[in-house]
Amino acid sequence: QLQLQESGPGLVKPSETLSLTCVVSGDSISNSDYSWGWIRQPPGRGLEWIGTIYHSGTASYNPSLKSRVTISADTSKNEFSLRLTSVTAADTGVYYCARRGRFLLVVGVPFDLWGQGSLLTVSS
Amino acid sequence: QSVLTQPPSVSGAPGQKVTISCTGSNSNIGAGYDVHWYQQLPGTAPKLLIYGNKYRPSGVPDRFSASKSGTSASLAITGLQAEDEADYYCQSYAGSLSVFGGGTKVTVL
């Protein structure tokens, strides 16, 4: 059964760079049926899509974060990563990795499997 | 400010029906992109509840139903149960960009 597990530092200082990794088990991230995304949730607030990396290795990003975000994949480790530069307190929240599955006849594929989330706090 | 607009909260007594709206625009829902719904129980990750406007993944009770029309979509919960108390989010697309609603808290009275 496919599982996703986020890992990260937990605490990052303002202006530093955040790096989070999502380890995928139970399937290969190279599977062309899937793409992989990052979504975050500030404390007490709603979900915000950060970006998605596709089988081709290309990625799309939320325009509000695009200048600071990079999503990459390491197929040898079966994991994908998020890098967010120049973090501020506004970047505090729970970060989720998720799979975009294969759904026939659906225009715009949903995130069908999610990791449990990784809490990130930005503080000095 | 979320791209898709949802009411912050709805409530209902056990057994009743509640409906959550999700309003977008001609650049997302109205452009033909499907709407998906997620349920987030307290302290847990979101779970896919409805995909492709109206389809339930395996294991989702049939008291959850959804529809889409024009630039909006809606989720209905009939026969409301205590375990349905959660946050619900709609999601769609604007081209390659994914957009979420702000979320709706469902309270079971």
Side-chain angles (χ1 to χ4, degrees):
Chain A
Q1 183 174 346
L2 185 106
Q3 290 186 322
L4 297 86
Q5 178 66 59
E6 305 90 346
S7 63
L11 178 65
V12 179
K13 290 182 170 57
S15 80
E16 292 189 340
T17 294
L18 160 70
S19 291
L20 286 169
T21 297
C22 180
V23 177
V24 179
S25 58
D27 203 344
S28 171
I29 66 168
S30 299
N31 189 325
S32 60
D33 285 340
Y34 308 133
S35 52
W36 309 90
W38 287 98
I39 301 100
R40 71 180 183 179
Q41 184 170 34
R45 297 180 61 185
L47 302 172
E48 179 182 32
W49 173 71
I50 300 172
T52 298
I53 187 165
Y54 304 97
H55 172 256
S56 61
T58 61
S60 58
Y61 301 114
N62 187 322
S64 68
L65 299 169
K66 187 173 183 178
S67 63
R68 300 194 291 131
V69 172
T70 303
I71 296 175
S72 59
D74 187 336
T75 56
S76 67
K77 296 181 180 180
N78 214 43
E79 63 186 36
F80 62 104
S81 300
L82 168 69
R83 185 172 179 268
L84 182 65
T85 62
S86 305
V87 298
T88 70
D91 295 311
T92 292
V94 177
Y95 285 70
Y96 297 100
C97 62
R99 183 186 78 172
R100 280 185 17 158
R102 179 173 183 266
F103 291 83
L104 300 178
L105 304 178
V106 172
V107 181
V109 178
F111 294 98
D112 63 335
L113 287 173
W114 295 62
Q116 65 183 27
S118 178
L119 177 62
L120 169 78
T121 301
V122 178
S123 174
S124 56
Chain B
Q1 200 78 335
S2 300
V3 174
L4 305 179
T5 301
Q6 298 180 233
S9 64
V10 299
S11 61
Q16 286 189 331
K17 174 182 178 180
V18 296
T19 302
I20 301 169
S21 61
C22 174
T23 302
S25 69
N26 287 325
S27 65
N28 42 67
I29 297 175
Y33 294 99
D34 287 342
V35 178
H36 318 300
W37 292 89
Y38 301 86
Q39 178 192 58
Q40 186 176 33
L41 297 169
T44 69
K47 166 194 163 186
L48 181 63
L49 189 70
I50 297 283
Y51 69 92
N53 304 319
K54 62 181 182 179
Y55 300 103
R56 290 186 305 275
S58 174
V60 174
D62 60 6
R63 65 176 182 276
F64 293 94
S65 63
S67 63
K68 170 192 164 184
S69 178
T71 58
S72 297
S74 64
L75 172 72
I77 311 174
T78 56
L80 194 63
Q81 298 185 8
E83 61 257 38
D84 299 332
E85 189 159 286
D87 295 322
Y88 294 82
Y89 295 89
C90 60
Q91 182 228 341
S92 187
Y93 283 85
S96 64
L97 309 181
S98 176
V99 291
F100 281 95
T104 299
K105 181 174 181 59
V106 170
T107 301
V108 181
L109 301 173

